[in-house]
Amino acid sequence: MRSMEITETTWERLLALSRGAADIAASDAAYGLYSPIAGARGQFVLAQVGQSLCGRIATPAGDARVISGPDGLAHLHRCRALVDAVIVGVGTVRADDPKLSVRMVKGPAPVRVVVDCHAVLEGDESLFHDGGAPVIVFRGANARGRALPTAEVIDLEPKACGLDPQDILDALARRNLLRVLVEGGARTIARFIDAGLVDRLHVAISPIIIGSGPSGIILSPIERLAGAHRPVTEVYSLGSDILFDCRLERGRASDRQGQEVRVANQA
Ligand SMILES: NC(=O)c1ccc[n+]([C@@H]2O[C@H](COP(=O)([O-])OP(=O)(O)OC[C@H]3O[C@@H](n4cnc5c(N)ncnc54)[C@H](OP(=O)(O)O)[C@@H]3O)[C@@H](O)[C@H]2O)c1
């Protein structure tokens, strides 16, 4: 396990790398962890989960605010600052009313993207009114929803499994938003992993035991462990949290594409 401490110099180098500067030969743990994100030049998808020792991302009532420790949260904000867009599902917006800001670190705030297939957002959620980074909302083309102040609404033709994550990425790419962080919740992350579209998965584990509530990663069911993902993984101590940095195989789609993503382990 590598110990990850980040200096201001390394962070400045990473921010420069994300703006297009040339990669440098640096061997410290922080550069090793963040340079694949900052240095990605084509479409790149990072998914991140902050979970308890028992694999939960919230209580059954949806309280998820302080699962990650301060270093896990700072890590999440660094990831946000290095991508062009951060994606959450509508379940996360309704449960947490998040700002999706980078307030714990110095750096640019990514465009905020919400997947709201059935157009249930009301328009009074904080991210439409907080003066933060631009907001894009993806809706199903047949959904009739409210007008959303300050947001760009993009209608996508739904497929059997809802909105196709590739269609979402393509629409973002047309807006020059190529580096993307899929931040949750579980159902939204599942759709991107099941579609074989995630390059890196960060699982940050915090020493808290909840014992009930939703799990962070719930993929389409498999029968045999031979079908499980076994990513090449680096492990980092962030301080308050332990981070598993997993390289997923992009293009490895689940053979159950098209099935409903089932949310198990709710309690
Ligand atoms: N600890 C963490 O790291 C973390 C991060 C984020 C959120 N959370 C917690 O996670 C919980 C929310 O997770 P969740 O899994 O319930 O909700 P979610 O993933 O935020 O949102 C799920 C909703 O978005 C829809 N959706 C997502 N992607 C879609 C797509 N490609 N096409 C169509 N619909 C799509 C889902 O549709 P369907 O109903 O059709 O599936 C569902 O209605 C909250 O308690 C939140 O606090 C924790």
Side-chain angles (χ1 to χ4, degrees), residues 48-51 56-59 61-65 67-68 76 88-93 95-96 115-118 120 161-165 168 183-189 191-192 214-215 218 260-261 263 266:
Q48 124 89 38
V49 178
Q51 67 178 43
R56 314 289 178 159
I57 57 165
T59 68
D63 186 2
R65 294 239 168 219
I67 289 183
S68 295
L76 174 60
V88 292
V90 67
T92 297
V93 175
D96 300 348
V115 184
D116 181 19
C117 186
H118 304 293
V120 299
C161 58
L163 304 185
D164 187 334
I168 294 173
E183 195 174 305
R187 282 182 279 180
T188 302
I189 289 179
R191 285 186 149 102
F192 279 85
S215 299
I218 305 159
E260 184 189 354
V261 175
V263 177
Q266 284 289 355

Side-chain angles (χ1 to χ4, degrees), residues 20-248:
D23 204 352
I24 54 158
S27 59
D28 63 300
Y31 201 82
L33 173 58
Y34 295 113
S35 62
I37 308 167
R41 294 296 177 249
Q43 207 171 60
F44 178 88
V45 178
L46 167 69
Q48 124 89 38
V49 178
Q51 67 178 43
S52 64
L53 286 174
C54 46
R56 314 289 178 159
I57 57 165
T59 68
D63 186 2
R65 294 239 168 219
V66 283
I67 289 183
S68 295
D71 300 313
L73 277 179
H75 165 72
L76 174 60
H77 284 217
R78 271 183 224 114
C79 291
R80 287 177 183 166
L82 294 176
V83 296
D84 304 314
V86 56
I87 300 178
V88 292
V90 67
T92 297
V93 175
R94 296 181 93 187
D96 300 348
D97 199 19
K99 292 188 169 53
L100 302 173
S101 73
V102 295
R103 59 194 176 280
M104 293 181 77
V105 299
K106 190 175 134 196
V111 170
R112 301 173 290 179
V113 178
V114 185
V115 184
D116 181 19
C117 186
H118 304 293
V120 299
L121 289 176
E122 301 276 351
D124 57 358
E125 294 81 2
S126 294
L127 77 175
F128 299 121
H129 304 279
D130 62 7
V135 180
I136 295 175
V137 176
F138 284 98
R139 285 176 170 171
N142 47 2
R144 293 277 163 269
R146 292 175 189 248
L148 300 175
T150 68
E152 179 186 4
V153 176
I154 300 176
D155 292 331
L156 293 179
E157 208 52 56
K159 308 260 171 76
C161 58
L163 304 185
D164 187 334
Q166 185 65 64
D167 291 346
I168 294 173
L169 294 181
D170 289 345
L172 295 177
R174 285 193 289 276
R175 288 155 180 81
N176 214 19
L177 305 171
L178 291 170
R179 281 193 303 258
V180 170
L181 167 64
V182 184
E183 195 174 305
R187 282 182 279 180
T188 302
I189 289 179
R191 285 186 149 102
F192 279 85
I193 296 178
D194 275 340
L197 292 172
V198 175
D199 297 286
R200 292 271 175 153
L201 172 66
H202 282 186
V203 181
I205 299 180
S206 174
I208 173 176
I209 301 170
I210 306 172
S212 59
S215 299
I217 304 168
I218 305 159
L219 304 180
S220 299
I222 56 169
E223 275 173 27
R224 303 186 64 80
L225 284 175
H229 294 265
R230 292 186 190 271
V232 174
T233 300
E234 286 262 12
V235 187
Y236 295 86
S237 170
L238 300 179
S240 62
D241 302 61
I242 303 294
L243 180 77
F244 288 75
D245 175 17
C246 312
R247 291 181 198 203
L248 294 190

